[in-house]
Amino acid sequence: MGSAASAAVPPPPPPAQPQAGVPPYGPGLAGILPPKPEGEVKEEKKVDYLNLPCPVPFEEIQREALMSLKPELFEGFRFDFTKGLNQKFSLSHSVLMSSLEVPSQSTDTIKVPTAHYEFGANFLDPKLMLIGRGTDYRTQFQIGNNAFYGANYIQSVTPNLSMGSEIFWLGQQRKSGVGFASRYNTDKMVSLAADFMYNHMSRDVTSSFGYDYLLRQCRLRGKIDSNGVVAAYLEERLNMGVNFILSGELDHPKKNYKFGFGLTVGE
């Protein structure tokens, strides 16, 4: 016969008190990340719109956009050699083994193999320029050969954004044009470009988007346009003045595909 008396059940332990500085829901990221130094307060940098930086020249924006939107695409094999004699004069040799597109009534593209050699003597075309520069803007007037007249203006809008416009007239060809451009840059990149072109005579509208990415030993450029054409151009630096190049262009609507490789040698 056992004893009817039973031992008293001990009371439950009191709940643990949270440590000082630890949130009641657990340490979370506060227990993982290092504590912030005392007195560190992130202040937003105020923009002084009366003291904006001077933008890059309008021609520099055109050059950056041209590198992205108009890569030197080709088909087949290409070898280029360029020798500069001075700052204004250089000689060039070019060999291209490619194919020639022959017009046909069908939708398929007919190509005929071809090869040619080119020799060129390049002379820097002088232009008379009148340049005006302020603290946050640039303006330029140009007079060149073939009765060329042009003017452009670019203005900084924010510390990272500048916008401008240009107008030109080609007297011998009796052509004129108006262009607009904007440039957004950061401390690490200026590598994307887009354009929009409208031909008033033919009512044609085209737009394209391009990129220019610099790596340690190579440069990759490419674009895609509103016609469905995708292109890429790669330059791999093998040695000082020697580059290996790859080119590819895919025109899906016309079923026209172009691929090429080659070498460029020169300064």
Short mmCIF file of all heavy atoms in Angstrom, two decimals, residues 130-160:
data_model
loop_
_atom_site.label_atom_id
_atom_site.label_comp_id
_atom_site.label_asym_id
_atom_site.label_seq_id
_atom_site.Cartn_x
_atom_site.Cartn_y
_atom_site.Cartn_z
N LEU A 130 33.91 78.11 -83.12
CA LEU A 130 33.78 79.17 -82.14
C LEU A 130 33.12 78.55 -80.91
O LEU A 130 31.97 78.11 -80.98
CB LEU A 130 32.95 80.33 -82.68
CG LEU A 130 33.49 81.00 -83.96
CD1 LEU A 130 32.52 82.09 -84.42
CD2 LEU A 130 34.87 81.59 -83.71
N ILE A 131 33.85 78.48 -79.81
CA ILE A 131 33.41 77.77 -78.63
C ILE A 131 33.14 78.76 -77.51
O ILE A 131 33.97 79.63 -77.22
CB ILE A 131 34.46 76.72 -78.18
CG1 ILE A 131 34.73 75.73 -79.32
CG2 ILE A 131 34.00 75.99 -76.93
CD1 ILE A 131 35.83 74.74 -79.01
N GLY A 132 31.98 78.61 -76.90
CA GLY A 132 31.64 79.39 -75.72
C GLY A 132 31.40 78.46 -74.55
O GLY A 132 30.79 77.40 -74.70
N ARG A 133 31.88 78.83 -73.39
CA ARG A 133 31.78 77.95 -72.22
C ARG A 133 31.47 78.77 -70.98
O ARG A 133 32.12 79.78 -70.70
CB ARG A 133 33.07 77.17 -72.04
CG ARG A 133 33.09 76.29 -70.79
CD ARG A 133 34.38 75.53 -70.71
NE ARG A 133 34.45 74.74 -69.49
CZ ARG A 133 35.46 73.94 -69.18
NH1 ARG A 133 36.48 73.83 -70.01
NH2 ARG A 133 35.45 73.26 -68.05
N GLY A 134 30.47 78.31 -70.26
CA GLY A 134 30.13 78.92 -68.98
C GLY A 134 30.38 77.95 -67.84
O GLY A 134 30.98 76.89 -68.03
N THR A 135 29.91 78.29 -66.67
CA THR A 135 30.12 77.40 -65.53
C THR A 135 29.29 76.14 -65.62
O THR A 135 29.69 75.09 -65.12
CB THR A 135 29.79 78.15 -64.23
OG1 THR A 135 28.43 78.62 -64.31
CG2 THR A 135 30.73 79.33 -64.03
N ASP A 136 28.12 76.19 -66.26
CA ASP A 136 27.25 75.02 -66.34
C ASP A 136 26.68 74.80 -67.74
O ASP A 136 25.65 74.15 -67.90
CB ASP A 136 26.11 75.13 -65.32
CG ASP A 136 25.26 76.38 -65.55
OD1 ASP A 136 25.62 77.19 -66.43
OD2 ASP A 136 24.24 76.53 -64.85
N TYR A 137 27.31 75.33 -68.78
CA TYR A 137 26.83 75.13 -70.14
C TYR A 137 27.99 75.24 -71.12
O TYR A 137 29.06 75.76 -70.81
CB TYR A 137 25.75 76.17 -70.50
CG TYR A 137 26.31 77.56 -70.72
CD1 TYR A 137 26.70 77.99 -71.99
CD2 TYR A 137 26.44 78.45 -69.66
CE1 TYR A 137 27.22 79.25 -72.19
CE2 TYR A 137 26.94 79.72 -69.86
CZ TYR A 137 27.33 80.12 -71.12
OH TYR A 137 27.85 81.37 -71.31
N ARG A 138 27.75 74.74 -72.34
CA ARG A 138 28.69 74.88 -73.46
C ARG A 138 27.89 75.18 -74.71
O ARG A 138 26.78 74.68 -74.90
CB ARG A 138 29.48 73.58 -73.69
CG ARG A 138 30.52 73.25 -72.64
CD ARG A 138 31.16 71.91 -72.97
NE ARG A 138 32.04 71.43 -71.94
CZ ARG A 138 33.35 71.61 -71.92
NH1 ARG A 138 33.95 72.26 -72.91
NH2 ARG A 138 34.09 71.11 -70.94
N THR A 139 28.48 75.97 -75.59
CA THR A 139 27.88 76.26 -76.89
C THR A 139 28.98 76.27 -77.94
O THR A 139 30.14 76.57 -77.63
CB THR A 139 27.12 77.60 -76.87
OG1 THR A 139 26.49 77.80 -78.15
CG2 THR A 139 28.07 78.75 -76.58
N GLN A 140 28.62 75.93 -79.16
CA GLN A 140 29.63 75.78 -80.21
C GLN A 140 29.02 76.09 -81.57
O GLN A 140 27.87 75.70 -81.86
CB GLN A 140 30.18 74.35 -80.20
CG GLN A 140 31.36 74.11 -81.11
CD GLN A 140 31.87 72.69 -81.01
OE1 GLN A 140 31.27 71.76 -81.55
NE2 GLN A 140 32.97 72.49 -80.29
N PHE A 141 29.80 76.79 -82.40
CA PHE A 141 29.43 77.08 -83.78
C PHE A 141 30.51 76.52 -84.69
O PHE A 141 31.72 76.68 -84.40
CB PHE A 141 29.28 78.59 -84.01
CG PHE A 141 28.21 79.22 -83.16
CD1 PHE A 141 28.52 79.77 -81.92
CD2 PHE A 141 26.91 79.27 -83.61
CE1 PHE A 141 27.55 80.35 -81.14
CE2 PHE A 141 25.92 79.86 -82.83
CZ PHE A 141 26.24 80.39 -81.59
N GLN A 142 30.11 75.88 -85.78
CA GLN A 142 31.06 75.20 -86.67
C GLN A 142 30.82 75.62 -88.12
O GLN A 142 29.68 75.80 -88.55
CB GLN A 142 30.93 73.68 -86.57
CG GLN A 142 31.23 73.11 -85.20
CD GLN A 142 31.06 71.61 -85.17
OE1 GLN A 142 30.51 71.01 -86.09
NE2 GLN A 142 31.52 70.98 -84.11
N ILE A 143 31.95 75.76 -88.85
CA ILE A 143 31.92 76.01 -90.28
C ILE A 143 32.94 75.07 -90.91
O ILE A 143 34.10 75.06 -90.51
CB ILE A 143 32.27 77.47 -90.62
CG1 ILE A 143 31.28 78.43 -89.95
CG2 ILE A 143 32.28 77.68 -92.13
CD1 ILE A 143 31.63 79.89 -90.16
N GLY A 144 32.50 74.23 -91.87
CA GLY A 144 33.38 73.24 -92.47
C GLY A 144 33.25 73.18 -93.97
O GLY A 144 32.58 74.03 -94.60
N ASN A 145 33.89 72.17 -94.54
CA ASN A 145 33.84 71.98 -95.99
C ASN A 145 32.43 71.60 -96.44
O ASN A 145 31.58 71.23 -95.64
CB ASN A 145 34.84 70.90 -96.41
CG ASN A 145 36.28 71.33 -96.15
OD1 ASN A 145 36.58 72.52 -96.13
ND2 ASN A 145 37.15 70.36 -95.95
N ASN A 146 32.23 71.68 -97.76
CA ASN A 146 30.94 71.35 -98.38
C ASN A 146 29.81 72.24 -97.85
O ASN A 146 28.66 71.81 -97.74
CB ASN A 146 30.58 69.88 -98.16
CG ASN A 146 31.62 68.95 -98.73
OD1 ASN A 146 32.20 69.21 -99.79
ND2 ASN A 146 31.88 67.85 -98.04
N ALA A 147 30.17 73.48 -97.51
CA ALA A 147 29.19 74.45 -97.03
C ALA A 147 28.45 73.93 -95.81
O ALA A 147 27.21 73.96 -95.73
CB ALA A 147 28.21 74.81 -98.14
N PHE A 148 29.22 73.45 -94.85
CA PHE A 148 28.64 72.91 -93.62
C PHE A 148 28.59 74.01 -92.57
O PHE A 148 29.57 74.71 -92.31
CB PHE A 148 29.48 71.74 -93.10
CG PHE A 148 29.10 71.30 -91.71
CD1 PHE A 148 28.00 70.49 -91.51
CD2 PHE A 148 29.83 71.72 -90.60
CE1 PHE A 148 27.64 70.09 -90.24
CE2 PHE A 148 29.48 71.32 -89.33
CZ PHE A 148 28.38 70.50 -89.14
N TYR A 149 27.43 74.15 -91.95
CA TYR A 149 27.23 75.10 -90.86
C TYR A 149 26.46 74.37 -89.74
O TYR A 149 25.49 73.67 -90.02
CB TYR A 149 26.43 76.32 -91.32
CG TYR A 149 27.07 77.07 -92.47
CD1 TYR A 149 26.72 76.77 -93.78
CD2 TYR A 149 28.01 78.06 -92.24
CE1 TYR A 149 27.31 77.45 -94.85
CE2 TYR A 149 28.61 78.74 -93.30
CZ TYR A 149 28.25 78.43 -94.59
OH TYR A 149 28.83 79.09 -95.63
N GLY A 150 26.93 74.54 -88.53
CA GLY A 150 26.28 73.86 -87.42
C GLY A 150 26.43 74.63 -86.13
O GLY A 150 27.34 75.46 -85.97
N ALA A 151 25.53 74.37 -85.21
CA ALA A 151 25.57 74.99 -83.89
C ALA A 151 24.94 74.03 -82.89
O ALA A 151 24.03 73.26 -83.23
CB ALA A 151 24.82 76.32 -83.89
N ASN A 152 25.45 74.05 -81.67
CA ASN A 152 24.88 73.20 -80.62
C ASN A 152 25.00 73.91 -79.28
O ASN A 152 25.81 74.82 -79.09
CB ASN A 152 25.54 71.82 -80.58
CG ASN A 152 27.04 71.89 -80.34
OD1 ASN A 152 27.50 72.33 -79.29
ND2 ASN A 152 27.82 71.46 -81.33
N TYR A 153 24.17 73.45 -78.36
CA TYR A 153 24.14 74.02 -77.00
C TYR A 153 23.80 72.89 -76.04
O TYR A 153 22.91 72.08 -76.31
CB TYR A 153 23.11 75.14 -76.90
CG TYR A 153 22.97 75.71 -75.50
CD1 TYR A 153 23.82 76.72 -75.06
CD2 TYR A 153 21.99 75.24 -74.63
CE1 TYR A 153 23.70 77.24 -73.77
CE2 TYR A 153 21.86 75.76 -73.35
CZ TYR A 153 22.72 76.76 -72.93
OH TYR A 153 22.60 77.27 -71.67
N ILE A 154 24.51 72.82 -74.91
CA ILE A 154 24.25 71.81 -73.90
C ILE A 154 24.32 72.46 -72.53
O ILE A 154 25.16 73.33 -72.28
CB ILE A 154 25.25 70.63 -74.02
CG1 ILE A 154 24.88 69.54 -73.01
CG2 ILE A 154 26.69 71.08 -73.86
CD1 ILE A 154 25.65 68.25 -73.24
N GLN A 155 23.39 72.04 -71.65
CA GLN A 155 23.21 72.67 -70.35
C GLN A 155 23.11 71.58 -69.27
O GLN A 155 22.43 70.58 -69.45
CB GLN A 155 21.94 73.51 -70.35
CG GLN A 155 21.51 74.04 -69.00
CD GLN A 155 22.36 75.21 -68.54
OE1 GLN A 155 22.55 76.16 -69.29
NE2 GLN A 155 22.87 75.13 -67.32
N SER A 156 23.80 71.79 -68.15
CA SER A 156 23.66 70.89 -67.00
C SER A 156 22.34 71.18 -66.32
O SER A 156 22.02 72.33 -65.99
CB SER A 156 24.81 71.08 -66.02
OG SER A 156 26.03 70.60 -66.56
N VAL A 157 21.55 70.14 -66.08
CA VAL A 157 20.27 70.26 -65.41
C VAL A 157 20.38 69.87 -63.94
O VAL A 157 19.80 70.51 -63.07
CB VAL A 157 19.21 69.41 -66.12
CG1 VAL A 157 17.85 69.55 -65.45
CG2 VAL A 157 19.12 69.80 -67.59
N THR A 158 21.12 68.79 -63.69
CA THR A 158 21.44 68.35 -62.34
C THR A 158 22.94 68.01 -62.32
O THR A 158 23.58 68.03 -63.38
CB THR A 158 20.61 67.12 -61.93
OG1 THR A 158 21.04 65.98 -62.70
CG2 THR A 158 19.12 67.35 -62.16
N PRO A 159 23.51 67.66 -61.17
CA PRO A 159 24.93 67.28 -61.17
C PRO A 159 25.23 66.08 -62.05
O PRO A 159 26.38 65.91 -62.48
CB PRO A 159 25.20 66.97 -59.69
CG PRO A 159 24.22 67.81 -58.95
CD PRO A 159 22.99 67.83 -59.80
N ASN A 160 24.23 65.23 -62.36
CA ASN A 160 24.47 64.04 -63.17
C ASN A 160 23.77 64.05 -64.52
O ASN A 160 24.00 63.17 -65.33
CB ASN A 160 24.01 62.79 -62.41
CG ASN A 160 24.70 62.62 -61.08
OD1 ASN A 160 24.14 62.90 -60.03
ND2 ASN A 160 25.95 62.18 -61.12
#
